[in-house]
Structure formats: C-alpha cells, structure tokens
Amino acid sequence: MKVLVTGAAGFIGSHIVDALRERGDRVIGIDSLDPGVHHGAPDYLRDDVEYCFVDLRHWRPDERFDDVEAVIHLAALGGVARAAREPENVIGANCTGTAKLVEAARNWPSLRSIVLASSFSIYGSGYNYRCEQCGATQNGTRDTERLEAADFEVRCTTCGGDTRIVPITTAAVPSPLEIYGASKYMQELCFRGFEHAPVHIMRFSSVYGTRLRLHDGEATIIAKLAGWIGDGHSPTLFEDGQQIRDWVYVGDVVATALALTRVPAPAQVVNVCSGVPTTLLEACEILADCLGSDARPRVVGGFRPGDMRHCLGDAAPLEALLGRPPVPFADGARLTFGVPNAATRQ
C-alpha cells in the first residue's frame, strides 16, 4: 500500500512512518518543518521515505501522489497558547491546509481510506459527571465560591453530593472552548460530504512517547512535568493535585492509525485514549520513579479559571479495534522515560 502521511516529521507522524515501513508500505511524507516546532530536519527521518518539505497551504500535488492508496493526515499547528497568539496562522494551517488535501484527494483513483487526526480538545467542557448519592448527571461546571474555599471537586447540583466523571464517548457534541480546538473540529468538517473514500477520525487525548518535545513553549502538561522532573525541578500543581487526566501512549496512536487504513466503510470515529484515570500527583510519582529523580511536586492550591477538573475517555471502542487494552500511563511512562534520555528533544 502507498500511504501519504502529512506531518510526517513530527513526534506522532515519525512513529507512524516507521511503523508503515515496518509493515512494508511505501510512504510519501509531507511536513512544513514549522520553525515553531523544528530546528531543521530531525535526525530520525528515514532514507527509505520520500519527504516533501512544504506547507500544505502552498502544496502543489504532482504525479508522485496519483497512486496514493491511503492518507494519514496529522499536519496541524498545535498548542492552545500558540493558537491564541497566532489565530490566523493556526486556523489557516489547520483548515486551509486540510481543504487543500481534500481537493487533491478527490482526484486520486486508487484512494481507499483517509485517517484524520483530531483531538479531545473539540469536546471542550462537554464532560458529564454522575452523582454517587442520587445518580443525577450534570456537566462539569464548578462554583467559583467553592473553588475559592478549596473545594475543587464537581458537586451535584441536585443534592450536593460527590460526583464521578463519566468517560467521554464520541457521541458527545463537539463544543471547543478555544481556537486550537475549534480548528481541529473544522478539520473534521472539511471532510463533510467527501465520498471518494471513507474518512476515519482519531480523536486523541494528550499523547506522549519518545520524541516528545519536553522543553519548548508549546509542550503539553505531561511533557512539561517530565521535563521539570527530569531536570530535578519540583513541578507546581494547582488545586489539590487530584485532577484526573487520560494520557495515551504513542504506540497506541500508531496502532490505531495503521488499523484504520485497512478498515472499509462505514467510516469510524474513535477516541484514542487509555481510559485509565491518572491524577497529576500519581503522574508525577510515576515520572520521578522512571527518571530516577528525587523531584516531587509541590501542591500550591489555588485554581485557574476555565480549567477542567477531570478528563477521561471511554476506551472500549479502541480496545475492540486493537484487540487489546490500551497501554496505561504507568506502563507507557516506563517505555518512554524508563531509560535515561529516552525522550528525545528536537
């Protein structure tokens, strides 16, 4: 199979390229080598892959793409903070670039499938919580007065009891809260009405693994925690450190992408997550053990307006697709950070 991978030089894309070649597929990769991410071409690029270093917005497909059979579309400018600073750049890259790909793909006669990388950020605050006392279900809104009194959990609005987060499914209505999330949802919408091949959508929770950038300005929270702890600095945690997050190992993203290239119609939408709740405090302990660091987090209380208390996905459909459970963070962290300098920096 000949596969086009956009974002092929990135953290996730490079792992997918490696796996496709190991599967025996031919690969052509596109990447802009965006200077906000890369400092030149990464040293893990492959000699047996043809790379086109171009921004999708300015890409002109030629005959090399005419026999593409599958597309894995990862190219996007990431980072919530960057999107807030550079809305025109991020929306243009993510949405205009995707539209350019849609226009080209309509003309490829051998195309069998498209796999689009989307994000949990499209869900915004659309998580539900169920009361453990009365069973009522509600959203994750928290009262400012309670937060100021250091009561950080979501409380039942019916009886005031404790609630538990309900793992989010793809049935949740997209309602992004910021520009990056909106741009990822717009990427999905760019494929509405595309009938030339099934378009499968992977919605990622936060991804980690080797090649994850730990120290740049757009690093994810798990990358920042690993960078700080690896350098011997104690991370500072707001609230009480019991916030739940759901991190997904890059190997599971790779396995999902490769599986979907061979899934026929109808198209699937899959949440790519672990489904295993991990608190920030637990994550810091796991990272410290993996990295051999004595740095331990400092819980400082307080809160940041707009922060979600918990994030957790329903991994059952992903498990069915992969034929195995996703990798929990405790295991994935050992694979990623368990060897000194295993997390490479671009």
Side-chain angles (χ1 to χ4, degrees):
M1 179 182 290
K2 184 172 183 177
V3 184
L4 166 62
V5 180
T6 72
F11 155 50
I12 298 173
S14 63
H15 282 288
I16 287 176
V17 167
D18 287 345
L20 288 168
R21 289 299 296 132
E22 290 168 10
R23 192 171 77 173
D25 294 324
R26 294 176 295 151
V27 179
I28 185 167
I30 294 177
D31 202 290
S32 69
L33 293 181
D34 173 63
V37 175
H38 299 280
H39 306 291
D43 59 8
Y44 50 69
L45 298 186
R46 302 178 61 105
D47 294 333
D48 56 358
V49 170
E50 184 174 8
Y51 294 95
C52 304
F53 296 120
V54 61
D55 189 314
L56 271 179
R57 287 173 284 189
H58 311 303
W59 170 55
R60 295 290 184 270
D62 55 36
E63 66 278 358
R64 292 173 297 173
F65 299 90
D66 290 346
D67 58 347
V68 163
E69 297 167 81
V71 175
I72 301 177
H73 180 34
L74 300 154
L77 296 185
V80 172
R82 183 178 186 180
R85 292 193 312 270
E86 307 173 22
E88 181 180 3
N89 188 29
V90 170
I91 292 173
N94 296 358
C95 304
T96 304
T98 299
K100 200 72 174 289
L101 178 63
V102 171
E103 183 174 312
R106 293 181 306 182
N107 300 313
W108 294 337
S110 302
L111 188 64
R112 302 181 198 172
S113 63
I114 293 177
V115 181
L116 170 66
S118 187
S119 168
F120 266 36
S121 63
I122 74 163
Y123 295 130
S125 59
Y127 292 85
N128 285 323
Y129 291 73
R130 181 173 293 112
C131 179
E132 297 184 306
Q133 276 93 315
C134 72
T137 301
Q138 65 183 67
N139 63 26
T141 300
R142 295 186 287 174
D143 182 84
T144 301
E145 290 185 3
R146 286 184 178 273
L147 291 172
E148 290 173 344
D151 183 3
F152 301 116
E153 289 293 351
V154 177
R155 299 297 175 189
C156 178
T157 55
T158 300
C159 72
D162 295 335
T163 66
R164 184 181 297 273
I165 190 171
V166 178
I168 202 162
T169 73
T170 57
V173 177
S175 182
L177 297 173
E178 33 68 36
I179 291 169
Y180 172 70
S183 75
K184 295 303 292 182
Y185 187 40
M186 283 187 272
Q187 283 189 307
E188 294 188 15
L189 295 177
C190 283
F191 284 98
R192 289 287 174 92
F194 185 88
E195 297 179 349
H196 190 54
V199 180
H200 307 290
I201 298 173
M202 303 184 293
R203 292 175 178 164
F204 303 154
S205 59
S206 187
V207 186
Y208 67 95
T210 55
R211 302 176 187 163
L212 178 67
R213 299 181 307 279
L214 304 185
H215 291 89
D216 72 17
E218 306 303 331
T220 61
I221 181 60
I222 199 61
K224 290 178 179 178
L225 291 176
W228 290 328
I229 291 171
D231 290 342
H233 303 309
S234 295
T236 298
L237 303 181
F238 290 103
E239 302 189 15
D240 57 2
Q242 296 299 326
Q243 304 96 308
I244 287 171
R245 296 295 182 262
D246 184 347
W247 292 291
V248 62
Y249 179 56
V250 69
D252 287 336
V253 175
V254 171
T256 305
L258 266 64
L260 289 174
T261 61
R262 293 183 169 174
V263 171
Q268 294 192 22
V269 181
V270 182
N271 279 344
V272 187
C273 56
S274 74
V276 178
T278 305
T279 69
L280 295 185
L281 278 172
E282 289 169 341
C284 289
E285 293 294 324
I286 291 168
L287 289 170
D289 289 344
C290 290
L291 293 163
S293 173
D294 293 329
R296 290 298 186 267
R298 293 186 302 111
V299 178
V300 298
F303 64 97
R304 295 185 301 182
D307 273 3
M308 290 180 286
R309 177 58 175 172
H310 302 308
C311 302
L312 183 64
D314 178 5
L318 177 63
E319 182 173 347
L321 176 67
L322 299 182
R324 59 167 176 80
V327 176
F329 181 71
D331 294 340
R334 283 191 288 271
L335 293 171
T336 302
F337 306 108
V339 178
N341 300 320
T344 60
R345 298 161 188 153
Q346 296 179 22

